[in-house]
């Protein structure tokens, strides 16, 4: 009996170490006979966490998350060196500034403060988010008008200063005491859109601008991000959804990737690498949901995220998927996912090494977002 027990321990040990010997051995031996064993173990290790009723600015939508734990081993992670925060000053002209940048600042002033940008991507306002960061620290996105003056700002980092004393980490009560009762509705073109009560977001009219304040409900409902938009730019967008095309899709995908990495770094996690193959897997699922009007991890063929990865020859040790639907921008999608515990946990899993994002729009221009994470 003892010998049988020791033999079982030996077999388990050899299987756990499979990632270390599988690749060199496979050059000489066909290991496909182990596939049924892999699938059985993966099915045992599957874990699914489902949450729902995440409020967006338009209405309530369902979003869910799922992850699978498989065999794991050491992997090189990109852990950035910590960079210093800038010396922050209170704004001169606006109610709030981000990284010492205010609405109306010139592009030259922005460059002098922030240096060279990392990328430029189309946003839902029809302008570009110009992104600045240092290994996803001191993260800020800036939009410019036709005069190359700032007409929108966003950050999910500790870069906020205000005349009212509001900053990253302020409580919802402090924010409302400073800016009053949040808006309950906003007019877009000929329509009036009712803003549902949303524990994770407030919208205020501050002077000649709109301020979206996002809260982290897992950190005492404190300020975790702010988006500031001029009155002119906000009303330049006639509806809740921008006309979705390939450029906006690419913009949302890149922005959601950047936002996810900025959140990971802020929580002490590694930077994920972009992966084209799994991004295509994610995009195909978003397209399928948008065309066929459903919202689920399992597609209409009954394929799970991991089935789809297998079909696309994605090899992984650990993988996960987050879905979101109906949020008007990548910012709203990301902030909503971070306030949903299952999604948040998935975003902050330490083991992941790569991420792919796929976005698609339905006939009403409502976006479907798919995030696929994996450990290569």
């Amino acid at each position: 009996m003892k010998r049988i027990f020791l033999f079982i321990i030996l077999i388990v040990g050899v299987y756990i170490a499979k990632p270390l010997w599988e690749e060199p051995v496979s050059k000489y031996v066909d290991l496909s006979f182990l596939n049924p064993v892999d699938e059985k173990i993966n099915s045992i290790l599957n874990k699914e966490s489902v949450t729902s009723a995440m409020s967006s600015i338009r209405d309530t939508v369902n979003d869910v998350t799922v992850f699978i734990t498989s065999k794991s081993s050491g992997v090189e992670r990109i852990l950035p060196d910590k960079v210093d925060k800038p010396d922050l000053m209170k704004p001169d002209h606006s109610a709030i500034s981000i990284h010492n940048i205010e609405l109306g600042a010139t592009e030259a002033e922005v460059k002098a403060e922030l240096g060279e940008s990392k990328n430029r991507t189309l946003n839902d306002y029809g302008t570009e988010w110009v992104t600045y960061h240092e290994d996803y620290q001191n993260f800020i996105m800036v939009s410019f008008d036709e005069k190359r003056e700032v007409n929108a700002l966003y950050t999910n980092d500790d870069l906020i200063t205000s005349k009212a004393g509001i900053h990253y980490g302020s409580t919802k009560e402090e924010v409302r005491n400073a800016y009053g009762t949040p808006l309950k509705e906003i007019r877009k073109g000929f329509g009036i859109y009712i803003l549902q009560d949303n524990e994770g977001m407030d919208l205020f009219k501050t002077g000649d601008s709109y301020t979206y304040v996002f809260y982290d409900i897992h950190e005492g409902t404190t300020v975790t991000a702010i988006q500031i938009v001029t009155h002119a730019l906000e009303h330049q967008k006639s509806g809740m959804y921008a006309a979705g095309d390939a450029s906006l899709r690419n913009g949302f995908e890149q922005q959601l990737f950047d936002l996810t990495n900025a959140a990971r770094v802020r929580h002490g996690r590694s930077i994920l690498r972009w992966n084209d193959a799994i991004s295509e897997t994610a995009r195909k699922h978003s397209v399928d949901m948008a065309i066929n009007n459903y919202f689920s991890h399992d597609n209409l063929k009954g394929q799970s995220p991991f089935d789809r990865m297998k079909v696309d020859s994605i090899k992984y040790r650990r993988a996960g998927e987050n879905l979101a639907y109906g949020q008007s921008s990548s910012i709203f999608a990301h902030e909503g996912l971070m306030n949903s515990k299952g999604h948040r946990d998935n975003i902050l899993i330490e083991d992941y090494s790569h991420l792919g994002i796929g976005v698609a729009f339905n006939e009403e221009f409502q976006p479907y977002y798919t995030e696929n994470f994996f450990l290569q």
Side-chain angles (χ1 to χ4, degrees), residues 74-107:
V75 65
E76 181 183 357
R77 293 184 175 86
I78 306 173
L79 292 168
D81 294 329
K82 188 173 182 179
V83 301
D84 294 331
K85 292 290 181 186
D87 294 327
L88 300 176
M89 300 174 289
K90 287 189 177 181
D92 292 326
H93 311 292
S94 305
I96 300 174
S97 65
I98 296 176
H99 205 310
N100 299 322
I101 303 298
E102 300 180 45
L103 294 178
T106 66
E107 189 169 21

PDB file of all heavy atoms in Angstrom, residues 74-107:
ATOM      1  N   GLY A  74       7.051  29.392 -13.188  1.00  0.00           N
ATOM      2  CA  GLY A  74       7.632  30.721 -13.223  1.00  0.00           C
ATOM      3  C   GLY A  74       7.563  31.339 -14.606  1.00  0.00           C
ATOM      4  O   GLY A  74       7.688  30.666 -15.614  1.00  0.00           O
ATOM      5  N   VAL A  75       7.347  32.652 -14.646  1.00  0.00           N
ATOM      6  CA  VAL A  75       7.312  33.369 -15.907  1.00  0.00           C
ATOM      7  C   VAL A  75       7.882  34.758 -15.662  1.00  0.00           C
ATOM      8  O   VAL A  75       7.723  35.326 -14.582  1.00  0.00           O
ATOM      9  CB  VAL A  75       5.866  33.469 -16.460  1.00  0.00           C
ATOM     10  CG1 VAL A  75       4.984  34.292 -15.550  1.00  0.00           C
ATOM     11  CG2 VAL A  75       5.862  34.071 -17.863  1.00  0.00           C
ATOM     12  N   GLU A  76       8.585  35.278 -16.647  1.00  0.00           N
ATOM     13  CA  GLU A  76       9.164  36.607 -16.511  1.00  0.00           C
ATOM     14  C   GLU A  76       8.054  37.639 -16.488  1.00  0.00           C
ATOM     15  O   GLU A  76       7.218  37.698 -17.386  1.00  0.00           O
ATOM     16  CB  GLU A  76      10.108  36.902 -17.681  1.00  0.00           C
ATOM     17  CG  GLU A  76      10.769  38.268 -17.582  1.00  0.00           C
ATOM     18  CD  GLU A  76      11.644  38.570 -18.779  1.00  0.00           C
ATOM     19  OE1 GLU A  76      11.765  37.688 -19.645  1.00  0.00           O
ATOM     20  OE2 GLU A  76      12.192  39.676 -18.845  1.00  0.00           O
ATOM     21  N   ARG A  77       8.022  38.474 -15.455  1.00  0.00           N
ATOM     22  CA  ARG A  77       7.011  39.501 -15.338  1.00  0.00           C
ATOM     23  C   ARG A  77       7.650  40.880 -15.445  1.00  0.00           C
ATOM     24  O   ARG A  77       8.779  41.087 -15.019  1.00  0.00           O
ATOM     25  CB  ARG A  77       6.265  39.376 -14.004  1.00  0.00           C
ATOM     26  CG  ARG A  77       5.419  38.109 -13.915  1.00  0.00           C
ATOM     27  CD  ARG A  77       4.619  38.073 -12.617  1.00  0.00           C
ATOM     28  NE  ARG A  77       3.728  36.921 -12.601  1.00  0.00           N
ATOM     29  CZ  ARG A  77       4.084  35.722 -12.203  1.00  0.00           C
ATOM     30  NH1 ARG A  77       5.318  35.508 -11.795  1.00  0.00           N
ATOM     31  NH2 ARG A  77       3.232  34.712 -12.213  1.00  0.00           N
ATOM     32  N   ILE A  78       6.896  41.800 -16.004  1.00  0.00           N
ATOM     33  CA  ILE A  78       7.385  43.167 -16.156  1.00  0.00           C
ATOM     34  C   ILE A  78       6.950  43.959 -14.933  1.00  0.00           C
ATOM     35  O   ILE A  78       5.814  44.434 -14.837  1.00  0.00           O
ATOM     36  CB  ILE A  78       6.833  43.816 -17.443  1.00  0.00           C
ATOM     37  CG1 ILE A  78       7.144  42.946 -18.657  1.00  0.00           C
ATOM     38  CG2 ILE A  78       7.411  45.205 -17.626  1.00  0.00           C
ATOM     39  CD1 ILE A  78       6.505  43.427 -19.936  1.00  0.00           C
ATOM     40  N   LEU A  79       7.832  44.079 -13.958  1.00  0.00           N
ATOM     41  CA  LEU A  79       7.558  44.835 -12.750  1.00  0.00           C
ATOM     42  C   LEU A  79       8.333  46.146 -12.833  1.00  0.00           C
ATOM     43  O   LEU A  79       9.562  46.167 -12.699  1.00  0.00           O
ATOM     44  CB  LEU A  79       7.973  44.045 -11.510  1.00  0.00           C
ATOM     45  CG  LEU A  79       7.154  42.796 -11.219  1.00  0.00           C
ATOM     46  CD1 LEU A  79       7.813  41.932 -10.149  1.00  0.00           C
ATOM     47  CD2 LEU A  79       5.738  43.182 -10.783  1.00  0.00           C
ATOM     48  N   PRO A  80       7.654  47.261 -13.085  1.00  0.00           N
ATOM     49  CA  PRO A  80       8.360  48.526 -13.301  1.00  0.00           C
ATOM     50  C   PRO A  80       8.972  49.084 -12.028  1.00  0.00           C
ATOM     51  O   PRO A  80       8.467  48.850 -10.924  1.00  0.00           O
ATOM     52  CB  PRO A  80       7.256  49.446 -13.821  1.00  0.00           C
ATOM     53  CG  PRO A  80       6.008  48.901 -13.214  1.00  0.00           C
ATOM     54  CD  PRO A  80       6.194  47.414 -13.171  1.00  0.00           C
ATOM     55  N   ASP A  81      10.069  49.803 -12.205  1.00  0.00           N
ATOM     56  CA  ASP A  81      10.636  50.539 -11.082  1.00  0.00           C
ATOM     57  C   ASP A  81       9.689  51.676 -10.720  1.00  0.00           C
ATOM     58  O   ASP A  81       9.066  52.297 -11.585  1.00  0.00           O
ATOM     59  CB  ASP A  81      12.010  51.116 -11.457  1.00  0.00           C
ATOM     60  CG  ASP A  81      13.044  50.025 -11.701  1.00  0.00           C
ATOM     61  OD1 ASP A  81      12.936  48.960 -11.060  1.00  0.00           O
ATOM     62  OD2 ASP A  81      13.959  50.250 -12.520  1.00  0.00           O
ATOM     63  N   LYS A  82       9.593  51.955  -9.444  1.00  0.00           N
ATOM     64  CA  LYS A  82       8.692  53.008  -9.003  1.00  0.00           C
ATOM     65  C   LYS A  82       9.222  54.367  -9.428  1.00  0.00           C
ATOM     66  O   LYS A  82      10.411  54.651  -9.306  1.00  0.00           O
ATOM     67  CB  LYS A  82       8.539  52.963  -7.482  1.00  0.00           C
ATOM     68  CG  LYS A  82       7.466  53.899  -6.950  1.00  0.00           C
ATOM     69  CD  LYS A  82       7.237  53.701  -5.462  1.00  0.00           C
ATOM     70  CE  LYS A  82       6.134  54.613  -4.949  1.00  0.00           C
ATOM     71  NZ  LYS A  82       5.895  54.413  -3.490  1.00  0.00           N
ATOM     72  N   VAL A  83       8.336  55.199  -9.948  1.00  0.00           N
ATOM     73  CA  VAL A  83       8.723  56.546 -10.366  1.00  0.00           C
ATOM     74  C   VAL A  83       8.102  57.550  -9.410  1.00  0.00           C
ATOM     75  O   VAL A  83       7.094  57.286  -8.752  1.00  0.00           O
ATOM     76  CB  VAL A  83       8.281  56.845 -11.812  1.00  0.00           C
ATOM     77  CG1 VAL A  83       8.898  55.850 -12.776  1.00  0.00           C
ATOM     78  CG2 VAL A  83       6.766  56.832 -11.934  1.00  0.00           C
ATOM     79  N   ASP A  84       8.715  58.719  -9.333  1.00  0.00           N
ATOM     80  CA  ASP A  84       8.236  59.756  -8.422  1.00  0.00           C
ATOM     81  C   ASP A  84       6.956  60.395  -8.948  1.00  0.00           C
ATOM     82  O   ASP A  84       6.759  60.529 -10.159  1.00  0.00           O
ATOM     83  CB  ASP A  84       9.299  60.839  -8.242  1.00  0.00           C
ATOM     84  CG  ASP A  84      10.546  60.317  -7.539  1.00  0.00           C
ATOM     85  OD1 ASP A  84      10.409  59.369  -6.734  1.00  0.00           O
ATOM     86  OD2 ASP A  84      11.641  60.857  -7.795  1.00  0.00           O
ATOM     87  N   LYS A  85       6.106  60.796  -8.023  1.00  0.00           N
ATOM     88  CA  LYS A  85       4.937  61.571  -8.384  1.00  0.00           C
ATOM     89  C   LYS A  85       5.363  63.017  -8.658  1.00  0.00           C
ATOM     90  O   LYS A  85       6.300  63.519  -8.048  1.00  0.00           O
ATOM     91  CB  LYS A  85       3.908  61.564  -7.243  1.00  0.00           C
ATOM     92  CG  LYS A  85       3.262  60.215  -7.006  1.00  0.00           C
ATOM     93  CD  LYS A  85       2.325  59.852  -8.136  1.00  0.00           C
ATOM     94  CE  LYS A  85       1.651  58.509  -7.894  1.00  0.00           C
ATOM     95  NZ  LYS A  85       0.851  58.088  -9.056  1.00  0.00           N
ATOM     96  N   PRO A  86       4.666  63.695  -9.564  1.00  0.00           N
ATOM     97  CA  PRO A  86       4.990  65.096  -9.802  1.00  0.00           C
ATOM     98  C   PRO A  86       4.574  65.951  -8.608  1.00  0.00           C
ATOM     99  O   PRO A  86       3.721  65.550  -7.810  1.00  0.00           O
ATOM    100  CB  PRO A  86       4.164  65.436 -11.041  1.00  0.00           C
ATOM    101  CG  PRO A  86       3.004  64.502 -10.979  1.00  0.00           C
ATOM    102  CD  PRO A  86       3.560  63.225 -10.410  1.00  0.00           C
ATOM    103  N   ASP A  87       5.205  67.125  -8.471  1.00  0.00           N
ATOM    104  CA  ASP A  87       4.752  68.093  -7.474  1.00  0.00           C
ATOM    105  C   ASP A  87       3.458  68.719  -7.982  1.00  0.00           C
ATOM    106  O   ASP A  87       3.441  69.392  -9.015  1.00  0.00           O
ATOM    107  CB  ASP A  87       5.817  69.174  -7.258  1.00  0.00           C
ATOM    108  CG  ASP A  87       7.087  68.617  -6.627  1.00  0.00           C
ATOM    109  OD1 ASP A  87       6.968  67.673  -5.820  1.00  0.00           O
ATOM    110  OD2 ASP A  87       8.181  69.115  -6.960  1.00  0.00           O
ATOM    111  N   LEU A  88       2.369  68.463  -7.267  1.00  0.00           N
ATOM    112  CA  LEU A  88       1.058  68.895  -7.722  1.00  0.00           C
ATOM    113  C   LEU A  88       0.674  70.237  -7.109  1.00  0.00           C
ATOM    114  O   LEU A  88       0.863  70.458  -5.910  1.00  0.00           O
ATOM    115  CB  LEU A  88       0.002  67.847  -7.377  1.00  0.00           C
ATOM    116  CG  LEU A  88       0.209  66.457  -7.987  1.00  0.00           C
ATOM    117  CD1 LEU A  88      -0.860  65.494  -7.484  1.00  0.00           C
ATOM    118  CD2 LEU A  88       0.175  66.529  -9.511  1.00  0.00           C
ATOM    119  N   MET A  89       0.140  71.112  -7.948  1.00  0.00           N
ATOM    120  CA  MET A  89      -0.302  72.435  -7.510  1.00  0.00           C
ATOM    121  C   MET A  89      -1.796  72.574  -7.760  1.00  0.00           C
ATOM    122  O   MET A  89      -2.337  71.973  -8.681  1.00  0.00           O
ATOM    123  CB  MET A  89       0.462  73.527  -8.266  1.00  0.00           C
ATOM    124  CG  MET A  89       1.967  73.469  -8.056  1.00  0.00           C
ATOM    125  SD  MET A  89       2.846  74.665  -9.090  1.00  0.00           S
ATOM    126  CE  MET A  89       2.633  73.904 -10.704  1.00  0.00           C
ATOM    127  N   LYS A  90      -2.451  73.384  -6.954  1.00  0.00           N
ATOM    128  CA  LYS A  90      -3.871  73.625  -7.166  1.00  0.00           C
ATOM    129  C   LYS A  90      -4.079  74.384  -8.470  1.00  0.00           C
ATOM    130  O   LYS A  90      -3.236  75.190  -8.873  1.00  0.00           O
ATOM    131  CB  LYS A  90      -4.458  74.405  -5.991  1.00  0.00           C
ATOM    132  CG  LYS A  90      -4.619  73.575  -4.723  1.00  0.00           C
ATOM    133  CD  LYS A  90      -5.393  74.311  -3.657  1.00  0.00           C
ATOM    134  CE  LYS A  90      -5.602  73.423  -2.434  1.00  0.00           C
ATOM    135  NZ  LYS A  90      -6.377  74.110  -1.376  1.00  0.00           N
ATOM    136  N   PRO A  91      -5.206  74.129  -9.133  1.00  0.00           N
ATOM    137  CA  PRO A  91      -5.448  74.785 -10.427  1.00  0.00           C
ATOM    138  C   PRO A  91      -5.609  76.298 -10.292  1.00  0.00           C
ATOM    139  O   PRO A  91      -6.081  76.790  -9.266  1.00  0.00           O
ATOM    140  CB  PRO A  91      -6.740  74.124 -10.909  1.00  0.00           C
ATOM    141  CG  PRO A  91      -7.402  73.632  -9.656  1.00  0.00           C
ATOM    142  CD  PRO A  91      -6.304  73.239  -8.736  1.00  0.00           C
ATOM    143  N   ASP A  92      -5.231  77.002 -11.341  1.00  0.00           N
ATOM    144  CA  ASP A  92      -5.366  78.465 -11.365  1.00  0.00           C
ATOM    145  C   ASP A  92      -6.741  78.908 -11.847  1.00  0.00           C
ATOM    146  O   ASP A  92      -7.322  79.851 -11.325  1.00  0.00           O
ATOM    147  CB  ASP A  92      -4.288  79.079 -12.271  1.00  0.00           C
ATOM    148  CG  ASP A  92      -2.887  78.921 -11.699  1.00  0.00           C
ATOM    149  OD1 ASP A  92      -2.767  78.960 -10.470  1.00  0.00           O
ATOM    150  OD2 ASP A  92      -1.945  78.736 -12.487  1.00  0.00           O
ATOM    151  N   HIS A  93      -7.244  78.224 -12.883  1.00  0.00           N
ATOM    152  CA  HIS A  93      -8.464  78.688 -13.547  1.00  0.00           C
ATOM    153  C   HIS A  93      -9.627  77.706 -13.438  1.00  0.00           C
ATOM    154  O   HIS A  93     -10.780  78.123 -13.449  1.00  0.00           O
ATOM    155  CB  HIS A  93      -8.177  78.971 -15.029  1.00  0.00           C
ATOM    156  CG  HIS A  93      -6.957  79.808 -15.252  1.00  0.00           C
ATOM    157  ND1 HIS A  93      -6.887  81.124 -14.883  1.00  0.00           N
ATOM    158  CD2 HIS A  93      -5.752  79.510 -15.804  1.00  0.00           C
ATOM    159  CE1 HIS A  93      -5.706  81.619 -15.198  1.00  0.00           C
ATOM    160  NE2 HIS A  93      -4.993  80.649 -15.756  1.00  0.00           N
ATOM    161  N   SER A  94      -9.354  76.422 -13.363  1.00  0.00           N
ATOM    162  CA  SER A  94     -10.400  75.403 -13.353  1.00  0.00           C
ATOM    163  C   SER A  94     -10.668  74.917 -11.936  1.00  0.00           C
ATOM    164  O   SER A  94      -9.884  75.181 -11.011  1.00  0.00           O
ATOM    165  CB  SER A  94      -9.987  74.219 -14.227  1.00  0.00           C
ATOM    166  OG  SER A  94      -9.661  74.632 -15.535  1.00  0.00           O
ATOM    167  N   ALA A  95     -11.788  74.203 -11.783  1.00  0.00           N
ATOM    168  CA  ALA A  95     -12.108  73.629 -10.478  1.00  0.00           C
ATOM    169  C   ALA A  95     -11.152  72.493 -10.129  1.00  0.00           C
ATOM    170  O   ALA A  95     -10.793  72.297  -8.967  1.00  0.00           O
ATOM    171  CB  ALA A  95     -13.552  73.130 -10.472  1.00  0.00           C
ATOM    172  N   ILE A  96     -10.712  71.749 -11.148  1.00  0.00           N
ATOM    173  CA  ILE A  96      -9.873  70.566 -10.940  1.00  0.00           C
ATOM    174  C   ILE A  96      -8.777  70.547 -11.994  1.00  0.00           C
ATOM    175  O   ILE A  96      -9.001  70.924 -13.155  1.00  0.00           O
ATOM    176  CB  ILE A  96     -10.708  69.269 -11.057  1.00  0.00           C
ATOM    177  CG1 ILE A  96     -11.820  69.250 -10.001  1.00  0.00           C
ATOM    178  CG2 ILE A  96      -9.836  68.027 -10.906  1.00  0.00           C
ATOM    179  CD1 ILE A  96     -12.778  68.076 -10.145  1.00  0.00           C
ATOM    180  N   SER A  97      -7.595  70.106 -11.606  1.00  0.00           N
ATOM    181  CA  SER A  97      -6.524  69.864 -12.572  1.00  0.00           C
ATOM    182  C   SER A  97      -5.991  68.457 -12.373  1.00  0.00           C
ATOM    183  O   SER A  97      -6.146  67.859 -11.306  1.00  0.00           O
ATOM    184  CB  SER A  97      -5.383  70.879 -12.416  1.00  0.00           C
ATOM    185  OG  SER A  97      -4.738  70.730 -11.158  1.00  0.00           O
ATOM    186  N   ILE A  98      -5.385  67.924 -13.420  1.00  0.00           N
ATOM    187  CA  ILE A  98      -4.796  66.587 -13.382  1.00  0.00           C
ATOM    188  C   ILE A  98      -3.356  66.691 -13.864  1.00  0.00           C
ATOM    189  O   ILE A  98      -3.105  67.169 -14.969  1.00  0.00           O
ATOM    190  CB  ILE A  98      -5.590  65.612 -14.273  1.00  0.00           C
ATOM    191  CG1 ILE A  98      -7.018  65.444 -13.740  1.00  0.00           C
ATOM    192  CG2 ILE A  98      -4.895  64.252 -14.335  1.00  0.00           C
ATOM    193  CD1 ILE A  98      -7.906  64.582 -14.619  1.00  0.00           C
ATOM    194  N   HIS A  99      -2.425  66.275 -13.020  1.00  0.00           N
ATOM    195  CA  HIS A  99      -0.988  66.363 -13.347  1.00  0.00           C
ATOM    196  C   HIS A  99      -0.628  67.803 -13.740  1.00  0.00           C
ATOM    197  O   HIS A  99       0.151  68.046 -14.655  1.00  0.00           O
ATOM    198  CB  HIS A  99      -0.634  65.406 -14.477  1.00  0.00           C
ATOM    199  CG  HIS A  99       0.808  64.977 -14.501  1.00  0.00           C
ATOM    200  ND1 HIS A  99       1.866  65.862 -14.442  1.00  0.00           N
ATOM    201  CD2 HIS A  99       1.368  63.740 -14.601  1.00  0.00           C
ATOM    202  CE1 HIS A  99       2.999  65.212 -14.500  1.00  0.00           C
ATOM    203  NE2 HIS A  99       2.733  63.913 -14.575  1.00  0.00           N
ATOM    204  N   ASN A 100      -1.228  68.768 -13.020  1.00  0.00           N
ATOM    205  CA  ASN A 100      -0.999  70.202 -13.247  1.00  0.00           C
ATOM    206  C   ASN A 100      -1.485  70.679 -14.613  1.00  0.00           C
ATOM    207  O   ASN A 100      -1.072  71.748 -15.077  1.00  0.00           O
ATOM    208  CB  ASN A 100       0.481  70.559 -13.061  1.00  0.00           C
ATOM    209  CG  ASN A 100       0.967  70.267 -11.652  1.00  0.00           C
ATOM    210  OD1 ASN A 100       0.233  70.468 -10.679  1.00  0.00           O
ATOM    211  ND2 ASN A 100       2.195  69.771 -11.528  1.00  0.00           N
ATOM    212  N   ILE A 101      -2.350  69.897 -15.252  1.00  0.00           N
ATOM    213  CA  ILE A 101      -2.936  70.286 -16.530  1.00  0.00           C
ATOM    214  C   ILE A 101      -4.396  70.662 -16.301  1.00  0.00           C
ATOM    215  O   ILE A 101      -5.140  69.924 -15.645  1.00  0.00           O
ATOM    216  CB  ILE A 101      -2.853  69.151 -17.564  1.00  0.00           C
ATOM    217  CG1 ILE A 101      -1.397  68.703 -17.766  1.00  0.00           C
ATOM    218  CG2 ILE A 101      -3.463  69.588 -18.886  1.00  0.00           C
ATOM    219  CD1 ILE A 101      -0.480  69.781 -18.306  1.00  0.00           C
ATOM    220  N   GLU A 102      -4.811  71.789 -16.841  1.00  0.00           N
ATOM    221  CA  GLU A 102      -6.189  72.245 -16.737  1.00  0.00           C
ATOM    222  C   GLU A 102      -6.832  72.281 -18.115  1.00  0.00           C
ATOM    223  O   GLU A 102      -6.146  72.312 -19.142  1.00  0.00           O
ATOM    224  CB  GLU A 102      -6.245  73.658 -16.127  1.00  0.00           C
ATOM    225  CG  GLU A 102      -5.656  73.758 -14.740  1.00  0.00           C
ATOM    226  CD  GLU A 102      -5.738  75.174 -14.188  1.00  0.00           C
ATOM    227  OE1 GLU A 102      -6.810  75.803 -14.313  1.00  0.00           O
ATOM    228  OE2 GLU A 102      -4.734  75.660 -13.637  1.00  0.00           O
ATOM    229  N   LEU A 103      -8.154  72.286 -18.129  1.00  0.00           N
ATOM    230  CA  LEU A 103      -8.866  72.514 -19.377  1.00  0.00           C
ATOM    231  C   LEU A 103      -8.434  73.869 -19.947  1.00  0.00           C
ATOM    232  O   LEU A 103      -8.280  74.843 -19.215  1.00  0.00           O
ATOM    233  CB  LEU A 103     -10.373  72.507 -19.155  1.00  0.00           C
ATOM    234  CG  LEU A 103     -11.007  71.183 -18.712  1.00  0.00           C
ATOM    235  CD1 LEU A 103     -12.504  71.369 -18.491  1.00  0.00           C
ATOM    236  CD2 LEU A 103     -10.754  70.072 -19.718  1.00  0.00           C
ATOM    237  N   GLY A 104      -8.214  73.901 -21.258  1.00  0.00           N
ATOM    238  CA  GLY A 104      -7.785  75.133 -21.907  1.00  0.00           C
ATOM    239  C   GLY A 104      -6.287  75.269 -22.047  1.00  0.00           C
ATOM    240  O   GLY A 104      -5.805  76.175 -22.743  1.00  0.00           O
ATOM    241  N   ALA A 105      -5.519  74.382 -21.428  1.00  0.00           N
ATOM    242  CA  ALA A 105      -4.060  74.434 -21.572  1.00  0.00           C
ATOM    243  C   ALA A 105      -3.674  74.144 -23.017  1.00  0.00           C
ATOM    244  O   ALA A 105      -4.359  73.402 -23.725  1.00  0.00           O
ATOM    245  CB  ALA A 105      -3.403  73.423 -20.638  1.00  0.00           C
ATOM    246  N   THR A 106      -2.583  74.712 -23.466  1.00  0.00           N
ATOM    247  CA  THR A 106      -2.135  74.496 -24.844  1.00  0.00           C
ATOM    248  C   THR A 106      -1.370  73.180 -24.947  1.00  0.00           C
ATOM    249  O   THR A 106      -0.886  72.638 -23.953  1.00  0.00           O
ATOM    250  CB  THR A 106      -1.232  75.637 -25.304  1.00  0.00           C
ATOM    251  OG1 THR A 106      -0.014  75.613 -24.530  1.00  0.00           O
ATOM    252  CG2 THR A 106      -1.913  76.987 -25.139  1.00  0.00           C
ATOM    253  N   GLU A 107      -1.254  72.699 -26.165  1.00  0.00           N
ATOM    254  CA  GLU A 107      -0.503  71.464 -26.394  1.00  0.00           C
ATOM    255  C   GLU A 107       0.953  71.635 -25.975  1.00  0.00           C
ATOM    256  O   GLU A 107       1.566  70.709 -25.444  1.00  0.00           O
ATOM    257  CB  GLU A 107      -0.599  71.064 -27.861  1.00  0.00           C
ATOM    258  CG  GLU A 107      -0.047  69.687 -28.153  1.00  0.00           C
ATOM    259  CD  GLU A 107      -0.379  69.214 -29.549  1.00  0.00           C
ATOM    260  OE1 GLU A 107      -0.670  70.056 -30.417  1.00  0.00           O
ATOM    261  OE2 GLU A 107      -0.340  67.989 -29.778  1.00  0.00           O
TER     262      GLU A 107
END
